[in-house]
C-alpha cells in the first residue's frame, strides 16, 4: 500500500493541469470547439477535447514538457497558442484565450475517420451514443429500451435497474410527466432527434435526490454552426394500422445570438389486446380487452441564448406539447359458472397540453472556471378525458343482450410547478480541488376532479359514490455542497444534499387530509481511476428518494371494465434507496458493471380482489423491501472493416418482501437478458443492420414476468454525399415482443398476456440542412417535480 501511495504521489507531483477558453472574433465564448494539446517540437497530439458550453477546456495530468494548444471549429479558421512549458510540480497553466474567426469560403466534404463508441463510461454516468444504434423509424421509448438496464412494464412505463423510481430528463431538464403522459410523449419523439442517452444510477449532489434507481437524461440535437442549420425527418409506418410523423430541428447562430427551435408532429393508429385470466375460488374469468387508440401529437421547443458579454449569457426557452386521443375500447368477460358473459363498450376522448417556460442566466466570473448559473421555471400541465361505459349482459348459452348499466365520466387535472435554482462552481486556484454549491426551491399545486353520471329512467343522474375532487400542494427546499479533486489518474468526488419537504393532500368529497413534513440528507461518493488510456474503473454510492407521482396520490376510482378498477392512494409514502455501482471499461467495451439497489417503502401496484363482487382493484402501495443485484457486460467489436457488432449480457437477482393484507409475501428470481446488433457496410453506401434481444423470466414488484424478445432487420442508404439518409426497418419480425406476467399471492391468481403493435414496417427519410454539425442542447434547471405528473 505504501508503494502504491508513494507512486501516486510522485505521479501527481510530476503532472499538472492546462486550461483555457476559446472565443469567436467578437470575443464571445465558443461552445463545442475542439481544443488540441500539441507536444513540441514535433506537434504530436498529446490530448484533445471539446470545449464546454462556456467555451472552456482543461487537460488534466499533463506530464512535463513543452506544449501549445490549437483550437478548431468547422466554418472557423483555426488558432494556435504560443508555446509554454510544464515543469515537474508546476502550478496549473492558464493559456491565454484563443480567438477563432469565421471563414467565408465554402468547405469541402470532411470525412471523419473516428467514431464514438456505443457506450462511454464516465465517473458518474454511462453515455449511450444513439447514432451508433439501429434506430430507423424508432421513437424515444424504443431507443430507451436499448439502454443497459432499461425495461418497460405492462403499461409501457419505464423501469431502470429493476425499479420504476427513475427521473427522465430532456437536456438536463425533467419532463414534468410520468405514467401515461410520459409514455405518450416519448412515443411521439423520433429517435432521429436524440443525440445521446445518459444513464446516471447515482446522480451527483447537484441533481435532485428524486429517483431511487437514478436518472435517464435524453440529450437532443442542436446545430452549432453559424447561420441556419438543422435536420428534417419524415417517417411512415404500418403494422396492423397506419402511422406517420414529421419533425424539424433548426438553429440560427448569428453574432451574439443563438436561436433554436424543434417541432415534431405525429399521427399514430394502433391497438392493444389484453387477455386477463382470473381464478376466483372455483370460477375462472377470462377477460379480453381490446383498445384501439388514434392519437395526434404536437411537440415544440423555441429558445434563444444571448451572449450579453464575454462572461454573461442569458437564455430563454419555451417548450410544450398538445395531444388528442380518441379510442374505441371493448371488454368481454366470460365466466365458467352460470353467470354468462358481460360486454363493455367504452369510447374515450382525451386531450392533454404541457407548457413550460425557462429563464437561464450564466455568469462566468473568470477564465479559471468560476461560474454562477441561475434558473427560473414555470410549468403548467393540463389534461381532460371523457368516457362512456355501456354494459351489456348475456345469459348462459344465450345471445339475447340485456342492459347491465350505463355510465359516463368526465375527469380533468391541472398541475402548476414553479421553481428557482442557483448553482455555483469554484475551482481553487493553484490546486486540483473543485467545489460546487447550490440551492433550489419549488412550489407545486395539482387539482383533479372526476364526475360520474349514471343513466336511470332515460336520465343522467350524478353518481356521488364515484365523484370526487382532490388537491395536492407541495413545497421542497434543497441545498447541496460537493467537493472533487483530480490526483493524476484518480478522480474523487463527494457531495451532500439536504431536502425539506412539506405537502398536503386533501379530498373535498371524502374529507381525507394527509399532511407530511420531513427532512432528508442524501450523500453521494464517486471515484474513477484510469489504469491506462484503454482501462478505467469507476465506483459510486448514493442515497436517493422517490416521491409518489401526483396522480398516484389521487384517491379517485377509475374503471377499465365492470370487474377491473384502478385507485390512487393518498397515504402513499416516499421510497428510499441505497445504491452502489462499480464499472470497469476497456476501450469501447464495458467489461463489467456491477449494480446493487436496496429500496425500502418501494412503491408498486398491489392487486386486491373481492371474491364476492369479483372486482379486482389495483392500488399503489409501499412494499417493505426490494433488492436488485445485477451484472452487465457488453460493448462494441469491429470484426472486419465492414462488419461491426454490439453485444450486451445482463444477469440479475431480484427479491421483493412485504406484507399484503397481513400476510407475508416474498418473490425471488434469477434472470438474464441479452442483445446483439450487427452492422454490415455494403457497396454503394448501403448498411444492413440485424439485431435481436431476449429477456428471460424475471420479477418486477409483485409481478412474475415471462420471457420476451424480438428480432429486427434494417437497411440504410446514404444519399446526397451523406447529407440524407433513407432507412427501412422491420421491427419484431417473429411477433414475440409482448408483455406476459402473473400475480399469485393470498387470494389473487391472475395472468396477463398483452399484445400490441410491435411488428411493423417503417420507412424514414432524414435530411441535413446546412452543414449538419450537431451538439447537445443547453441544459436548464428544474427537478424532481417534473417526473411526477401524469394522468
Amino acid at each position: 500500500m505504501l508503494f502504491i501511495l508513494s507512486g501516486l504521489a510522485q505521479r501527481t507531483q510530476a503532472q499538472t493541469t492546462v486550461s483555457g477558453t476559446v472565443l469567436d472574433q467578437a470575443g464571445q465564448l465558443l461552445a463545442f470547439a475542439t481544443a488540441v494539446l500539441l507536444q513540441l517540437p514535433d506537434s504530436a497530439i498529446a490530448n484533445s477535447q471539446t470545449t464546454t458550453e462556456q467555451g472552456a477546456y482543461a487537460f488534466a495530468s499533463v506530464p512535463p514538457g513543452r506544449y501549445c494548444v490549437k483550437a478548431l471549429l468547422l466554418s472557423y479558421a483555426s488558432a494556435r497558442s504560443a508555446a509554454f512549458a510544464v515543469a515537474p510540480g508546476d502550478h496549473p497553466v492558464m493559456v491565454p484565450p484563443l480567438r477563432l474567426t469565421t471563414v467565408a469560403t465554402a468547405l469541402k466534404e470532411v470525412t471523419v475517420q473516428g467514431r464514438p463508441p456505443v457506450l462511454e463510461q464516465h465517473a458518474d454516468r454511462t453515455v449511450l451514443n444513439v447514432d451508433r444504434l439501429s434506430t430507423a423509424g424508432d421513437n424515444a421509448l424504443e431507443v430507451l429500451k436499448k439502454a443497459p438496464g432499461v425495461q418497460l412494464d405492462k403499461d409501457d412505463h419505464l423501469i431502470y435497474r429493476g425499479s420504476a423510481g427513475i427521473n427522465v430528463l430532456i437536456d438536463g431538464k425533467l419532463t414534468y410527466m410520468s405514467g401515461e403522459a410520459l409514455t405518450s410523449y416519448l412515443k411521439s419523439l423520433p429517435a432521429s432527434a436524440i443525440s445521446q442517452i445518459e444513464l446516471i444510477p447515482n446522480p451527483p449532489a447537484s441533481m435532485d435526490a428524486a429517483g431511487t434507481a437514478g436518472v435517464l437524461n435524453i440529450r437532443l440535437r442542436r446545430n452549432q454552426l453559424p447561420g441556419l442549420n438543422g435536420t428534417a425527418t419524415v417517417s411512415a409506418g404500418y403494422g396492423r394500422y397506419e402511422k406517420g410523423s414529421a419533425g424539424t430541428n433548426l438553429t440560427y447562430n448569428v453574432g451574439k445570438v443563438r436561436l433554436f427551435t424543434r417541432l415534431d408532429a405525429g399521427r399514430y393508429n394502433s391497438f392493444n389486446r389484453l387477455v386477463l385470466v382470473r381464478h376466483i375460488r372455483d370460477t375462472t374469468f377470462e377477460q379480453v380487452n381490446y383498445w384501439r387508440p388514434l392519437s395526434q401529437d404536437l411537440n415544440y421547443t423555441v429558445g434563444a441564448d444571448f451572449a450579453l458579454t464575454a462572461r454573461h449569457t442569458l437564455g430563454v426557452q419555451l417548450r410544450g406539447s398538445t395531444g388528442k386521443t380518441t379510442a374505441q375500447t371493448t371488454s368481454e368477460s366470460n365466466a365458467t359458472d352460470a353467470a354468462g358473459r358481460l360486454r363493455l363498450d367504452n369510447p374515450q376522448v382525451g386531450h392533454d397540453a404541457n407548457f413550460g417556460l425557462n429563464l437561464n442566466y450564466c455568469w462566468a466570473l473568470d477564465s479559471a472556471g468560476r461560474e454562477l448559473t441561475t434558473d427560473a421555471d414555470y410549468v403548467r400541465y393540463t389534461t381532460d378525458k371523457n368516457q362512456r361505459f355501456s354494459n351489456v349482459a348475456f345469459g348462459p348459452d344465450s345471445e339475447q343482450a340485456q342492459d347491465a348499466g350505463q355510465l359516463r365520466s368526465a375527469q380533468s387535472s391541472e398541475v402548476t410547478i414553479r421553481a428557482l435554482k442557483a448553482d455555483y462552481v469554484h475551482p481553487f486556484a493553484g490546486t486540483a480541488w473543485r467545489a460546487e454549491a447550490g440551492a433550489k426551491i419549488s412550489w407545486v399545486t395539482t387539482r383533479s376532479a372526476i364526475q360520474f353520471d349514471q343513466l336511470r329512467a332515460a336520465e343522467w343522474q350524478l353518481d356521488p359514490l364515484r365523484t370526487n375532487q382532490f388537491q395536492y400542494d407541495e413545497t421542497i427546499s434543497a441545498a447541496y455542497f460537493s467537493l472533487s479533486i483530480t490526483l493524476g489518474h484518480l478522480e474523487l468526488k463527494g457531495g451532500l444534499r439536504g431536502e425539506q419537504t412539506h405537502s398536503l393532500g386533501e379530498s373535498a368529497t371524502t374529507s381525507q387530509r394527509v399532511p407530511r413534513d420531513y427532512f432528508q440528507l442524501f450523500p453521494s461518493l464517486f471515484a474513477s481511476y484510469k489504469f491506462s488510456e484503454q482501462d478505467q474503473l469507476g465506483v459510486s454510492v448514493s442515497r436517493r428518494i422517490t416521491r409518489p407521482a401526483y396522480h398516484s396520490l389521487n384517491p379517485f376510482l377509475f374503471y377499465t371494465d365492470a370487474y377491473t378498477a384502478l385507485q390512487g392512494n393518498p397515504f402513499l409514502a416516499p421510497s428510499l434507496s441505497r445504491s452502489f455501482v462499480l464499472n470497469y471499461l476497456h476501450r469501447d467495451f464495458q467489461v463489467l458493471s456491477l449494480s446493487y439497489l436496496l429500496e425500502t417503502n418501494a412503491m408498486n401496484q398491489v392487486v386486491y380482489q373481492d371474491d364476492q363482487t369479483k372486482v379486482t382493484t389495483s392500488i399503489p402501495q409501499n412494499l417493505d423491501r426490494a433488492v436488485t443485484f445485477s451484472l452487465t457486460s457488453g460493448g462494441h467489436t469491429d470484426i472486419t472493416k465492414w462488419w461491426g457488432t454490439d453485444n450486451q449480457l445482463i444477469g440479475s437477482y431480484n427479491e421483493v418482501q412485504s406484507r399484503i393484507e397481513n400476510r407475508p409475501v416474498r418473490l425471488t428470481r434469477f434472470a438474464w437478458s441479452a442483445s446483439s446488433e450487427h452492422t454490415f457496410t455494403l457497396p454503394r453506401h448501403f448498411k444492413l443492420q440485424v439485431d435481436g434481444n431476449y429477456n428471460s423470466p424475471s420479477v418486477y414488484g409483485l409481478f412474475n414476468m415471462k420471457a420476451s424478445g424480438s428480432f429486427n432487420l434494417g437497411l440504410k442508404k446514404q444519399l446526397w454525399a451523406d447529407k440524407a439518409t433513407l432507412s427501412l426497418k422491420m421491427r419484431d419480425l417473429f411477433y414475440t415482443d409482448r408483455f406476459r406476467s402473473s400475480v399469485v399471492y393470498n387470494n389473487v391468481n391472475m395472468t396477463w398476456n398483452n399484445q400490441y403493435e410491435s411488428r411493423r414496417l417503417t420507412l424514414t427519410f432524414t435530411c441535413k440542412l446546412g452543414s449538419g454539425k450537431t451538439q447537445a442542447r443547453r441544459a436548464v434547471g428544474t427537478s424532481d417535480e417534473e417526473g411526477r405528473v401524469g394522468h
Side-chain angles (χ1 to χ4, degrees), residues 320-528:
S321 64
T322 61
K324 177 183 178 181
T325 300
T326 58
Q328 293 296 324
T329 305
T330 61
S331 174
E332 187 162 314
S333 303
N334 292 279
T336 57
D337 59 12
R341 58 192 175 95
L342 186 69
R343 178 183 173 87
L344 167 68
D345 288 306
N346 176 215
Q348 308 171 11
V349 178
H351 302 82
D352 60 79
N354 180 23
F355 168 85
L357 176 65
N358 168 264
L359 296 176
N360 174 276
Y361 169 71
C362 178
W363 178 17
L365 280 74
D366 55 32
S367 59
R370 289 196 304 142
E371 180 180 280
L372 175 67
T373 59
T374 60
D375 285 276
D377 288 274
Y378 176 84
V379 172
R380 182 174 176 83
Y381 182 84
T382 60
T383 181
D384 65 76
K385 189 175 185 179
N386 295 319
Q387 300 186 69
R388 177 80 179 262
F389 303 85
S390 300
N391 293 289
V392 178
F394 298 87
D397 302 323
S398 172
E399 294 298 323
Q400 184 67 36
Q402 298 180 352
D403 185 8
Q406 307 287 316
L407 291 171
R408 69 181 184 185
S409 71
Q411 66 185 78
S412 63
S413 67
E414 59 182 45
V415 178
T416 303
I417 302 173
R418 293 134 293 181
L420 295 174
K421 182 174 179 284
D423 299 278
Y424 174 67
V425 178
H426 185 98
F428 291 93
T431 72
W433 290 94
R434 172 187 170 100
E436 299 178 44
K440 180 196 167 185
I441 184 169
S442 64
W443 303 267
V444 178
T445 301
T446 174
R447 295 182 177 88
S448 303
I450 188 169
Q451 177 177 318
F452 268 92
D453 298 319
Q454 189 170 10
L455 188 62
R456 295 176 179 173
E459 292 186 2
W460 289 105
Q461 300 180 17
L462 180 69
D463 187 342
L465 297 178
R466 296 185 175 96
T467 299
N468 202 348
Q469 294 181 1
F470 181 72
Q471 178 169 329
Y472 179 79
D473 296 282
E474 177 186 82
T475 301
I476 301 177
S477 305
Y480 74 90
F481 176 79
S482 67
L483 197 61
S484 62
I485 186 173
T486 300
L487 300 171
H489 292 269
L490 177 65
E491 295 182 24
L492 300 173
K493 184 176 183 178
L496 182 64
R497 186 182 184 92
E499 294 188 352
Q500 172 69 45
T501 304
H502 169 76
S503 65
L504 175 64
E506 295 181 282
S507 173
T509 49
T510 64
S511 299
Q512 288 178 308
R513 191 173 187 272
V514 183
R516 291 190 187 275
D517 283 282
Y518 54 91
F519 176 78
Q520 295 282 348
L521 289 174
F522 304 98
S524 58
L525 292 171
F526 307 89
S528 177

